[in-house]
Amino acid sequence: MAEDVFKALADPTRRKILDELAERNGQTLFEICSRLVARHGLGSSRQAISQHLAVLEAAGLVKTRRQGRYKFHDFDRRPLEHIADRWLRQEPPETP
């Protein structure tokens, strides 16, 4: 699972998508695309952003939910917390 997270985070567009979702969860594909254009100057197609979201969802970083005809995307920080726990929250080994 950590490999999927690192792969997902390797792409700058996916990191920008996560930045937008971290600032405001529950966005539709249209909202994410609009914010990427307005705030980051990214003119990627909706299909390209949808593919990026699929990679983020496969890595567990984005969860989706449907309400009526809309699909909302939410940032799930748990995979990042697991990685941080792995390296940052462990006690250093004691030296003799």
Side-chain angles (χ1 to χ4, degrees):
M1 180 166 158
E3 290 115 20
D4 293 338
V5 172
F6 288 121
K7 176 185 170 189
L9 294 174
D11 186 89
T13 299
R14 290 193 283 267
R15 290 193 305 268
K16 287 181 174 116
I17 291 169
L18 289 178
D19 287 341
E20 292 304 320
L21 290 174
E23 188 173 308
R24 198 179 111 231
N25 256 335
Q27 295 184 59
T28 64
L29 176 61
F30 177 79
E31 291 171 311
I32 293 168
C33 290
S34 298
R35 289 172 67 102
L36 290 173
V37 168
R39 301 179 85 193
H40 304 282
L42 288 176
S44 299
S45 69
R46 286 174 51 143
Q47 181 179 3
I49 299 303
S50 181
Q51 290 172 346
H52 284 301
L53 284 166
V55 171
L56 291 166
E57 189 172 3
L61 292 166
V62 169
K63 302 290 183 199
T64 59
R65 57 190 162 81
R66 288 202 174 268
Q67 280 184 314
R69 57 181 239 198
Y70 296 102
K71 184 177 181 181
F72 297 93
H73 302 85
D74 297 297
F75 182 18
D76 187 350
R77 293 169 171 81
R78 286 179 291 181
L80 296 176
E81 291 169 357
H82 290 298
I83 291 171
D85 285 343
R86 179 178 174 183
W87 285 306
L88 300 178
R89 295 196 181 136
Q90 291 181 351
E91 292 296 318
E94 291 185 28
T95 55

